[in-house]
Amino acid sequence: MSDIPYESIIVKPAPLTTILWNANVKVANGYLLADYSFFDSSPIKYDFYPRRAELLGDMTNSETVRRLIKISEEWYVITKRNQKIYFNDLRFGTMNNDVNNPEFVFSYELIDDGSTVTAREVEKGSREAGEILSRLFRRIAGN
């Protein structure tokens, strides 16, 4: 990590444990996310997530988006799926390991009706919660 220029970094324990740690690294054009278990035998692997703020277009200036940026402490990425724009808070990580189609723990669909932008939190079902916990405990065990 020492040879990668970065703007800021957050390192924190994963939920429910101090054996697994998460690192979020802000770089010039996005973020690097990684985790490390004390039981890992392989080096830390960082996944890159581009910020993609350009997808916000005119919504950038809305009170809703400004509030989400402030709440997320500027740790966010914007994604687009099925012609819908999503604001994703990076501080709590992802629910899957798919860098090309990430599902974030806190994700909000941005709805622009032409005069107002609103945010609707993407709901998570109980099945997803079980999968998240299962993935967490598998990851604690090491790579």
Side-chain angles (χ1 to χ4, degrees):
M1 184 70 222
S2 62
D3 59 340
I4 298 172
Y6 64 91
E7 296 174 20
S8 59
I9 186 169
I10 298 173
V11 178
K12 62 189 179 323
L16 309 175
T17 181
T18 57
I19 296 172
L20 180 66
W21 287 74
N22 304 119
N24 293 6
V25 182
K26 187 183 291 185
V27 294
N29 54 350
Y31 302 89
L32 298 168
L33 303 183
D35 50 34
Y36 177 77
S37 170
F38 292 155
F39 300 115
D40 281 352
S41 57
S42 301
I44 297 173
K45 178 185 168 287
Y46 290 88
D47 293 320
F48 177 73
Y49 295 88
R51 178 173 270 182
R52 299 187 69 199
E54 70 277 2
L55 291 175
L56 289 170
D58 292 338
M59 290 189 288
T60 301
N61 300 319
S62 74
E63 179 61 31
T64 298
V65 171
R66 286 196 311 266
R67 191 172 336 120
L68 286 170
I69 291 170
K70 184 176 181 178
I71 289 168
S72 71
E73 299 174 350
E74 297 189 21
W75 289 89
Y76 71 93
V77 295
I78 306 300
T79 55
K80 185 175 184 178
R81 287 189 315 270
N82 301 322
Q83 304 305 312
K84 296 178 181 179
I85 304 295
Y86 295 88
F87 182 100
N88 307 284
D89 190 328
L90 293 177
R91 296 171 303 153
F92 303 95
T94 60
M95 297 190 304
N96 64 6
N97 290 325
D98 186 350
V99 176
N100 297 316
N101 191 26
E103 295 176 15
F104 294 91
V105 173
F106 286 101
S107 183
Y108 303 88
E109 178 186 353
L110 298 176
I111 303 159
D112 185 354
D113 69 6
S115 62
T116 306
V117 175
T118 56
R120 182 183 61 80
E121 185 174 357
V122 175
E123 294 185 24
K124 293 164 275 308
S126 59
R127 179 174 166 250
E128 289 170 320
E131 289 174 11
I132 292 168
L133 284 175
S134 177
R135 189 176 128 230
L136 174 67
F137 289 119
R138 280 193 311 273
R139 185 62 193 95
I140 288 171
N143 57 16

